Amino acid sequence: MSTGHGTGTAGRGIEIRHLRAFLAVADEGSVTRGAARLGVTQPVVSRTLAALERQLGVRLVDRSTHHLVLTPEGVAFRDKATAAVGAFEEAIDPGRLRHRPLRLGHAWSAFGPYTTPLLRTWQQRHPGTPLELLRIDDRTAGLTRGEVDAALLRGPVDTPGLVTEVLFTETRVAAVAADGPLAARASLSLADLTADAVVLNTVSGATTLALWPPHAAPAATLAVANTDDWLTAIAAGQGNGVSGASTAQMHPHAGVVYVPLDDAPPLPVLLARRDGPGHPELPRLAALAREIVAGQRPGPPSRGNGPGRLGIPSADGE
């Protein structure tokens, strides 16, 4: 089967095998693993991928790094290739496409208090389509790189080509060293955090210096690349942090105490997808997420005992 593109010559030699080879490489992040998935040799997949790129006249895969990644054109083409292969497979084997795993990315706290209900309810209602929850340390949790079909994100997202929906908002909390002077406070303000450095996750976090007024900015900042390093730095007394409330539940740490913030704006939790054809189960995922939030809204925050004493079922945003 070949597919043409308009009236030009580009794409006239493209066959389903080219698309399947590209999708296998994109899904596996490796030509070698893609070839193993398809049951062919690595040279066959490499030649097939190169032929596809020649036909399209664009580079789909960046081979200049140790870790294979899709180019922006490759990310855009992935959705189109998925739709094309899906339509073909649906025609010859109805229902097959829905059995492909639905990959849901997140950068830290997933769906907060609703994570387990979402996963369990999905498994009960849609056992034929696995829902894979993947943590990816990236501002869009791998969505713009084509590594996931949808993503749970926090804070404003203005990345072009994404469609987002606010599912709920959560309060923000301060994260402070358990043996520090702020840990015993019943609540804190943003100004209370500025005497020391503020630890910012600049790769996947949602907190920036814009959270503070210009005249009241932190004395210093410490940049980290993921939630684990963020927690380690705070526990070591290198600075304070700000996050969404479910971090207390999803990321407890023996050296970190979470304290309510009185004056920080709420943090939106979004469901995001790429604008274009996607996994056929995405509408059902969005509907289930809305249903669970509507039916299981958590009660008001309550402070617990011990590390991470803020017993809040909510979410993240370093």
Side-chain angles (χ1 to χ4, degrees):
M1 175 181 176
S2 297
T3 59
H5 293 271
T7 58
T9 58
R12 288 187 176 177
I14 296 176
E15 302 176 359
I16 285 294
R17 64 184 179 89
H18 293 105
L19 303 184
R20 282 180 171 150
F22 166 69
L23 290 175
V25 170
D27 289 348
E28 299 294 336
S30 161
V31 173
T32 300
R33 292 194 297 271
R37 182 168 121 177
L38 295 171
V40 298
T41 64
Q42 180 177 338
V44 168
V45 172
S46 295
R47 289 195 299 268
T48 304
L49 182 58
L52 175 62
E53 291 177 319
R54 285 196 302 272
Q55 286 290 330
L56 294 174
V58 296
R59 194 175 186 184
L60 301 174
V61 176
D62 184 355
R63 303 168 179 82
S64 63
T65 61
H66 293 297
H67 176 65
L68 183 149
V69 296
L70 299 183
T71 64
E73 293 80 8
V75 171
F77 185 72
R78 182 179 191 166
D79 286 338
K80 297 176 182 178
T82 298
V85 173
F88 176 76
E89 293 180 344
E90 183 75 12
I92 62 175
D93 185 8
R96 179 179 177 182
L97 180 59
R98 294 187 180 275
H99 295 166
R100 180 170 67 84
L102 177 56
R103 301 162 304 166
L104 180 61
H106 72 104
W108 348 274
S109 291
F111 204 22
Y114 312 114
T115 303
T116 298
L118 178 70
L119 295 176
R120 286 184 174 177
T121 305
W122 181 271
Q123 184 178 18
Q124 292 167 359
R125 296 185 185 178
H126 312 289
T129 303
L131 179 59
E132 297 180 352
L133 188 63
L134 306 173
R135 175 180 161 181
I136 300 175
D137 291 315
D138 175 294
R139 185 64 189 97
T140 65
L143 189 58
T144 56
R145 301 203 304 262
E147 297 182 26
V148 295
D149 300 296
L152 293 161
L153 308 177
R154 288 174 168 81
V157 177
D158 55 6
T159 305
L162 298 187
V163 177
T164 63
E165 173 186 354
V166 177
L167 296 173
F168 66 98
T169 60
E170 60 181 2
T171 57
R172 299 194 199 224
V173 297
V176 300
D179 59 355
L182 299 180
R185 298 272 295 273
S187 65
L188 295 168
S189 68
L190 288 170
D192 292 328
L193 308 179
T194 59
D196 300 315
V198 169
V199 186
L200 300 174
N201 176 352
T202 57
V203 174
S204 58
T207 299
T208 69
L209 288 179
L211 190 62
W212 286 265
H215 64 277
T221 61
L222 174 64
V224 298
N226 55 59
T227 299
D228 299 325
D229 292 346
W230 181 79
L231 288 167
T232 299
I234 294 169
Q238 296 177 349
N240 306 309
V242 175
S243 184
S246 0
T247 311
Q249 178 192 33
M250 305 294 285
H251 296 284
H253 191 289
V256 176
V257 167
Y258 298 94
V259 182
L261 275 171
D262 294 331
D263 57 349
L267 186 65
V269 180
L270 318 172
L271 180 65
R273 62 174 176 81
R274 292 184 294 278
D275 187 9
H279 196 290
E281 295 286 17
L282 281 175
R284 291 185 179 179
L285 175 65
L288 179 58
R290 294 186 212 106
E291 175 188 333
I292 288 176
V293 170
Q296 300 188 32
R297 285 197 177 278
S302 60
R303 292 174 67 98
N305 297 316
R309 358 170 234 169
L310 192 67
I312 304 175
S314 282
D316 206 282
E318 309 96 275

